[in-house]
Amino acid sequence: NLKTFRKNYLQWIEDIRSGSLLKRFPNETETWVSDFGVAIIDFGGLNLQQFFTEAATKLAITNMNDLQRLHSHLSYGFIINANPLAHQLLNVAKPLMANLLERFEIHGTNSKKWMPALLRKIPRSQLPTALGGFKDFKPVATCDYI
């Protein structure tokens, strides 16, 4: 249901902006020390069929525009598996979210190129296996907003 998705997506953004997202998750080892985060946007599997309707394209652009509200809360980010369609989408969204995109490294679909870039900035222990992390990776928290 797109209405529920939009509601949850906007709530997720607001929770990050307000700082209430991390407060919901217990942290036994230490207190949270940063208001800044890292984003990894994975366009893996994006294909043209997903954009056959005007509504789908509009939703993608609207969601990317909404992410602009997080630009002051992100230290940096990665866009991975950006195929030609993802590059086109990013080009369309660039005027809407230039402040946010300048903090992102954009990588194509070759994991042998983007995985080392992630690992230069993010400890392997903080990444799931699919992104180059350890097989026994356990997230600190998960959220079911989206």
Side-chain angles (χ1 to χ4, degrees), residues 38-71:
V38 176
I40 301 172
I41 299 173
D42 186 352
F43 280 110
L46 183 67
N47 64 58
L48 192 57
Q49 288 180 326
Q50 294 165 325
F51 285 88
F52 275 162
T53 68
E54 181 180 335
T57 303
K58 183 179 177 184
L59 177 66
I61 293 169
T62 300
N63 287 344
M64 293 179 89
N65 184 46
D66 291 335
L67 278 176
Q68 176 65 21
R69 295 169 44 200
L70 296 178
H71 83 276

Side-chain angles (χ1 to χ4, degrees), residues 7 10 15 17 23 37 45 52 55 58 63-66 78 92 96 102 110 112-113 116 120 128 137 142 145:
K7 177 182 169 255
L10 293 172
D15 287 351
R17 291 181 72 218
K23 292 175 187 171
F52 275 162
K58 183 179 177 184
N63 287 344
M64 293 179 89
N65 184 46
D66 291 335
F78 296 92
V92 169
L96 303 171
E102 69 185 10
N110 186 343
K112 290 180 181 178
K113 291 186 178 181
R120 277 193 291 279
F137 169 77
T142 60
Y145 283 125

Side-chain angles (χ1 to χ4, degrees), residues 2-145:
L2 287 179
K3 187 175 180 178
T4 302
F5 169 81
R6 281 294 294 159
K7 177 182 169 255
N8 291 344
Y9 181 75
L10 293 172
Q11 184 63 53
W12 173 76
I13 289 172
E14 186 53 37
D15 287 351
I16 290 173
R17 291 181 72 218
S18 69
S20 65
L21 181 68
L22 290 179
K23 292 175 187 171
R24 290 188 193 153
F25 303 110
N27 183 357
E28 296 87 25
T29 60
E30 58 185 86
T31 57
W32 299 105
V33 296
S34 177
D35 292 331
F36 298 100
V38 176
I40 301 172
I41 299 173
D42 186 352
F43 280 110
L46 183 67
N47 64 58
L48 192 57
Q49 288 180 326
Q50 294 165 325
F51 285 88
F52 275 162
T53 68
E54 181 180 335
T57 303
K58 183 179 177 184
L59 177 66
I61 293 169
T62 300
N63 287 344
M64 293 179 89
N65 184 46
D66 291 335
L67 278 176
Q68 176 65 21
R69 295 169 44 200
L70 296 178
H71 83 276
S72 63
H73 299 278
L74 292 176
S75 296
Y76 57 91
F78 296 92
I79 295 174
I80 59 173
N81 292 313
N83 61 21
L85 180 59
H87 280 282
Q88 288 297 324
L89 181 61
L90 291 168
N91 285 335
V92 169
K94 197 176 283 186
L96 303 171
M97 53 187 295
N99 290 344
L100 183 65
L101 282 177
E102 69 185 10
R103 296 174 189 225
F104 279 79
E105 292 180 25
I106 300 174
H107 296 275
T109 58
N110 186 343
S111 63
K112 290 180 181 178
K113 291 186 178 181
W114 58 254
M115 209 174 279
L118 263 66
L119 292 170
R120 277 193 291 279
K121 289 197 172 187
I122 304 172
R124 188 177 297 271
S125 63
Q126 301 298 307
L127 292 169
T129 307
L131 299 181
F134 295 123
K135 290 182 180 175
D136 62 347
F137 169 77
K138 297 214 182 338
V140 173
T142 60
C143 55
D144 297 324
Y145 283 125

